[in-house]
Amino acid sequence: MKNTSKKSNFTAFSLTKVASVVGATVLVFSPLALSKVALESDNGWETSISGAIPIFVVASDHDDSEQAFRVQSGFNPANINFHVVAPKTDSGLTISGHFQVDTHLNGPNGAQNSGLFESRVANIKVSGDFGTFTLGKDFGVFNSNAIGDIASQGGVGWLGGGADTGNATGGRIGTGYVYANFNPQIKFTSNDMNGFVYKLALINPEEPQDASIETSMPRFEGQVTYSGESFRVWTGAFQQAVSVTGVQAFDYDMQGFDVGAHIQVNGFGLTVNYTDTTGIGADGLYGGSINDADVDATQWFFEADYTLDKTRFGISYGEGSQDSRAADAAIGLGSAAEVDNELTMLFVHHQLSKQFRLVGELQDYQSDVQNDYNAIILGFQFDF
C-alpha cells in the first residue's frame, strides 16, 4: 500500500544529495569514443583524449507544482577524458593515468551559469598478467552492471529536483538501482577467465550528514560477472559499518546484494536487475540519514529493447521501495515511513552518424515523497 502523503523533508534531502553526488557513469558506460585523438611517441608513451557532449530538451508537467521547459544535462554531463600510458616495464607491467573533467549545463532552481564543474575520475592503473589495480578516484563496483542499462545511462531518467533539477539527473537511482558513485578507492579487477571477471574494492565510506559519525573502516564492494556469447549475468555485494557517536551512540551497517542479467538475441535485448539493501532508503543513495539505519529497501527494473539498423527502441520500468520502521527513542532514531518510487520510460536512440546520436524519451514518474510528473525529452549527443 502506497503512503500517499508527500514527505517534503525526504525530498529536500534527496535533492541535496542528487546535486552533490548524482552524475554520469561516463567513463564506464557511455558509448566508446569513435574518433578518439591518440598520440604515440617513439619511446613508447601513448596519450589519448576522448569525451562526449550530451544535451537534452526536457518538457515536464509536475502534479501540484509547475510545468517546465528546460535545456539541461542528462544522467551524463559533458566530459573530456585524458589517458596516458607509459611504456611497459621490464617486468611486464602496464602503468597508466586517467583523468576526467565534467561540466553540467544547468544549475539548480533555474540559476544560469551555475552548473557544476568537477572531476569524477583521477586514478593510476597498474595492469599485468594478474589483472588490474585501480588506485584513486573511479566509479564504484556495487550495482555498476545495473547502471549499464540503456535507457537511463543514455538519457535523463529521474528528475530529482523536479522542474528545476540542476546538474546531472538521476537516471534510475531510487527507481531501479543504488548509485555506485565516483569515490577514492583501491580496486582490483581480474583478467577475463573464460568469461568470468571479478572486482574487489576498498572504497572511502560515505557518511550521513545529520549526526556525528565515525567510520573506521572502508566500504567493501565486490562483483562477479560471467559473459557468454549472447548473455551476461552478475551478482555483487557491499558492506559499510557506521558508528554514530555522542550521548545516544549506536552502530549500524549499510549492506546489500544484487543479481542481474542481460540477454541479447539478434536485435532483441533484455536486462533485469534486483537489489536488496539495509541502511539505504528508497532514494538509492549511500549515507543519506541515520534514520536509514535498519531500513530494508529494494531496487529493481527491467528493460526490453530492439535494434533495427541504426535505431534502438525500448521500454524500461523500475521501482525503488523501503519498508517502514518504528522510532527508537533510546538512541534518538526517528521512524521511517514506507516509500515507493516508480519510473516508466519509453525511449528511442537513433545513430545519425557514428559520432552523433538523437535520443527521444517519454517518462511517467510516481512517488510517495515527490510530486508525480510526466516528461517528454529530446536529446543530442556528440561523442569524440
Side-chain angles (χ1 to χ4, degrees), residues 47-329:
T47 302
S48 61
I49 300 173
S50 61
I53 304 174
I55 299 168
F56 294 93
V57 179
V58 180
S60 56
D61 186 358
H62 304 256
D63 290 358
D64 303 319
S65 182
E66 64 179 304
Q67 295 180 337
F69 179 93
R70 302 287 187 269
V71 178
Q72 64 181 84
S73 295
F75 192 39
N76 289 334
N79 65 90
I80 187 167
N81 304 285
F82 302 90
H83 313 278
V84 179
V85 184
K88 186 172 291 188
T89 67
D90 294 339
S91 58
L93 298 179
T94 298
I95 302 175
S96 58
H98 308 268
F99 188 77
Q100 182 185 99
V101 178
D102 306 87
T103 182
H104 304 256
L105 299 183
N106 55 307
N109 299 319
Q112 305 302 312
N113 300 315
S114 63
L116 191 64
F117 187 83
E118 60 186 334
S119 171
R120 297 191 184 277
V121 174
N123 62 55
I124 300 168
K125 292 186 177 182
V126 181
S127 302
D129 294 338
F130 51 83
T132 299
F133 281 98
T134 301
L135 314 171
K137 192 175 185 181
D138 199 47
F139 198 55
V141 172
F142 181 69
N143 256 194
S144 60
N145 278 334
I147 298 175
D149 69 302
I150 298 163
S152 65
Q153 67 88 13
V156 173
W158 176 42
L159 297 173
D164 292 318
T165 295
N167 302 312
T169 57
R172 276 212 169 276
I173 300 170
T175 61
Y177 48 65
V178 171
Y179 186 47
N181 208 356
F182 295 86
N183 282 317
Q185 61 189 268
I186 297 174
K187 176 169 59 185
F188 175 75
T189 305
S190 73
N191 291 326
D192 191 316
M193 300 174 291
N194 296 317
F196 282 97
V197 174
Y198 69 88
K199 297 179 180 181
L200 299 171
L202 304 177
I203 299 179
N204 276 10
E206 295 194 50
E207 300 183 347
Q209 299 298 303
D210 56 350
S212 179
I213 302 294
E214 286 186 359
T215 47
S216 60
M217 298 294 289
R219 185 164 68 251
F220 300 92
E221 298 191 4
Q223 183 183 79
V224 178
T225 304
Y226 178 70
S227 301
E229 184 175 346
S230 59
F231 70 93
R232 186 165 55 108
V233 295
W234 59 83
T235 186
F238 83 96
Q239 190 276 337
Q240 178 186 315
V242 179
S243 295
V244 180
T245 63
V247 176
Q248 296 175 307
F250 67 98
D251 298 332
Y252 72 95
D253 288 331
M254 291 188 284
Q255 57 191 7
F257 71 89
D258 78 328
V259 291
H262 175 77
I263 300 171
Q264 191 71 42
V265 179
N266 297 322
F268 291 94
L270 176 66
T271 303
V272 294
N273 197 86
Y274 174 82
T275 303
D276 188 282
T277 63
T278 300
I280 295 180
D283 61 357
L285 298 170
Y286 290 102
S289 166
I290 61 170
N291 267 354
D292 287 336
D294 300 325
V295 169
D296 296 320
T298 58
Q299 306 280 342
W300 66 269
F301 77 90
F302 77 87
E303 176 182 83
D305 68 277
Y306 177 69
T307 301
L308 179 65
D309 295 327
K310 297 180 179 181
T311 306
R312 173 177 273 162
F313 306 88
I315 181 172
S316 179
Y317 175 82
E319 295 187 17
S321 60
Q322 70 181 46
D323 296 335
S324 62
R325 179 190 44 71
D328 188 341

